[in-house]
Amino acid sequence: MQSLTINIQNETLFQKVVWLLEHFKNDGLEIVAKEDIEDLKLLNTTRHEERISFEEYLKHAN
């Protein structure tokens, strides 16, 4: 897999680039925001941690 980061300052240009890239999704292109990548990396690191029930999580949420 190859990755490419594009930084676009102009919102109008950003929308045009995303519109263009959307046409390649059926060919296997995946569009992921940089923020989402960071979240996915953090999530991946927790995969091997001990799991707790949702109820237990809620007990300690506040």
Side-chain angles (χ1 to χ4, degrees), residues 52-62:
I52 62 169
S53 69
F54 187 65
E55 290 79 17
E56 187 67 23
Y57 169 79
L58 289 177
K59 287 180 190 176
H60 303 284
N62 294 331

Side-chain angles (χ1 to χ4, degrees), residues 1-15:
M1 174 174 58
Q2 296 182 4
S3 298
L4 173 68
T5 302
I6 301 173
N7 296 312
I8 304 172
Q9 301 297 323
N10 180 296
E11 180 65 26
T12 303
L13 179 57
F14 173 77
Q15 294 299 328

Side-chain angles (χ1 to χ4, degrees), residues 21-44:
L21 293 175
E22 292 280 345
H23 290 83
F24 295 100
K25 278 187 157 183
N26 290 339
D27 295 322
L29 179 72
E30 180 182 23
I31 302 170
V32 180
K34 185 175 181 178
E35 295 80 13
D36 293 340
I37 291 174
E38 296 303 320
D39 290 344
L40 290 171
K41 286 179 182 176
L42 290 172
L43 250 170
N44 189 42

